[in-house]
Amino acid sequence: MFNRDKWNEILEALSANPFRTLITAFGVFWGIFILVILLSASQGLQNGIKRQMGGLSTNTMFMWANTTSKPYKGLPQGRAFNYKNGDVEAIKRNVEGLMYVSPRNQLGGFRGSNNVVRGTKTGAYNVYGDYPEFILQQPMEMLQGRFINYGDIENKRKVAVIGEGVIRELYAPDEKVLGSYIKVQGVNFMVVGVYKSISNIGGDKEESQKQLFMPFTTFQQAFNYGDIVGWMAITAVDDTPITDIKENIFDILKQRHSIDPKDDRAIGHFDLYQEFKKINGLFSILTAVSYIVGIFILGSGIIGIVNIMLIIVKERTQEIGIRRALGATPATIIKQILTESVVLSVIAGMAGIIFASLVLAGINFALDKAPNANEIPIVNPSVHLGVVVIALLILVIAGLLAGLIPAITAIKVKPIDALRTE
């Protein structure tokens, strides 16, 4: 129940020496401000990593063939081998928990070679043979047309999806792209789609816009790959980490290609889930450190509040003595002092949260207006509402702790002694 006299008394006690109260409250203000800023910076970095990944399916493993490192069944060490179409079907058939198994082939290598021709212009690009699912594993924005579909796969259509970087180098500014033809190593392909890469993970951002995608089956036929599979992108269902089932995949491939079961070097792979888990662990550590640093700084402010409350209690010794003589219980005195402490802590803390919010709003505005905003590794630094609620709880608990020692000190004073104090 609201008691005006009680709140007037609290305000009078805290405003009796406003400069002293302001200096003391600054410790709590600064502690909460630092806590919010640190947590926001951690969240901003995490958002930046997610933006760079561009929606990349993190529960994915990329797998390729190396040479064997152990002799096996009369076969020599250092033997090269290739994955086959049958390996893809065997993995799909025998391993549970998989969402996509996408075989891939590639021409050009990193930064490609002069393998694409349009009219009098040539370009060095990476050319991939893929299945339609690949766009779900490594999302890209379709600017025009479409991506590869199963009609292309089944009919081995000579169609291609090209990046906007390819258009800049091989096409005139006003030239129509969809329906045009490009030549890849002497084979003509009709352009059915234009994409823009939205992921910066794994290399040069500019290079990722200069790639060509065509149906996997067409790639094998057009470039005489037979049933060779260069590598695979394998994605597990959401509730099954690819890390937990990748050994089952390796076992199947080792058996099919007569590889020693203990040969861990024959099958090369990159476990994106495992790497992403490490990144999440790093951010968890950053968040924990932010809390620790913020709470320690806040603790120094709470010590200041303890000091000021002890001084206030000392200054009000006679008042407390009179109250006790008039029948005030120790619980009443404790409640009054704790309330004053909590009010001071919460007001200072809320001021810190508001100021931090204004600073973050300014930072976000500057980031949005920055000329190279997409290159900045911090995106939308902010804190969730739950963090603000936690901060408020910390303030209340801190205020109670700060007022506890002065309150105990106050009730230990005997009324007769308090009345004699000058």
Side-chain angles (χ1 to χ4, degrees), residues 85-255:
N85 291 343
D87 295 331
V88 178
E89 297 305 318
I91 292 171
K92 290 180 179 179
R93 186 170 57 251
N94 296 300
V95 181
E96 296 183 357
L98 297 180
M99 184 179 296
Y100 308 119
V101 181
S102 300
R104 306 194 73 194
N105 276 320
Q106 177 181 358
L107 288 177
F110 183 67
R111 296 194 181 278
S113 58
N114 289 320
N115 52 4
V116 179
V117 178
R118 173 164 171 75
T120 59
K121 297 180 179 179
T122 62
Y125 309 115
N126 288 320
V127 180
Y128 296 98
D130 278 302
Y131 269 76
E133 293 88 353
F134 186 71
I135 196 173
L136 302 175
Q137 296 171 291
Q138 184 172 307
M140 57 190 78
E141 180 184 351
M142 296 304 300
L143 301 178
Q144 300 180 46
R146 62 174 177 83
F147 194 65
I148 299 161
N149 60 36
Y150 267 97
D152 301 328
I153 295 291
E154 293 168 2
N155 297 307
K156 299 181 181 179
R157 294 172 182 155
K158 293 179 180 178
V159 296
V161 178
I162 64 177
E164 59 179 358
V166 177
I167 296 175
R168 288 195 297 267
E169 295 182 356
L170 298 186
Y171 287 78
D174 57 347
E175 191 174 1
K176 184 179 178 181
V177 177
L178 295 184
S180 64
Y181 284 85
I182 56 176
K183 187 175 291 187
V184 181
Q185 290 195 347
V187 181
N188 284 311
F189 291 84
M190 184 176 73
V191 177
V192 296
V194 177
Y195 79 90
K196 176 183 179 182
S197 176
I198 57 177
S199 172
N200 297 333
I201 297 297
D204 189 342
K205 180 181 178 181
E206 182 67 22
E207 187 73 10
S208 66
Q209 312 297 342
K210 298 178 181 180
Q211 298 173 346
L212 290 83
F213 299 90
M214 61 183 61
F216 182 81
T217 52
T218 307
F219 185 105
Q220 285 185 321
Q221 178 176 276
F223 305 121
N224 298 317
Y225 266 57
D227 67 341
I228 291 177
V229 175
W231 47 300
M232 304 182 205
I234 303 176
T235 302
V237 296
D238 292 339
D239 58 350
T240 304
I242 189 66
T243 306
D244 294 347
I245 58 177
K246 64 183 181 182
E247 291 298 332
N248 296 338
I249 299 173
F250 299 160
D251 290 342
I252 291 172
L253 293 174
K254 288 176 181 179
Q255 184 178 3

Side-chain angles (χ1 to χ4, degrees), residues 15-62:
S15 60
N17 192 327
F19 182 74
R20 181 182 64 189
T21 301
L22 184 63
I23 293 299
T24 304
F26 181 78
V28 175
F29 167 90
W30 189 246
I32 287 294
F33 173 79
I34 293 297
L35 176 62
V36 172
I37 292 297
L38 287 176
L39 291 174
S40 299
S42 176
Q43 184 63 48
L45 287 171
Q46 193 168 2
N47 293 340
I49 292 295
K50 289 180 178 178
R51 181 177 68 179
Q52 287 186 331
M53 298 191 77
L56 188 66
S57 178
T58 56
N59 199 15
T60 296
M61 173 183 69
F62 300 96

Side-chain angles (χ1 to χ4, degrees), residues 260-276:
D260 190 321
K262 296 181 180 179
D263 189 346
D264 297 327
R265 295 170 56 187
I267 298 176
H269 75 283
F270 177 75
D271 188 341
L272 187 57
Y273 176 85
Q274 197 170 46
E275 298 304 314
F276 189 70

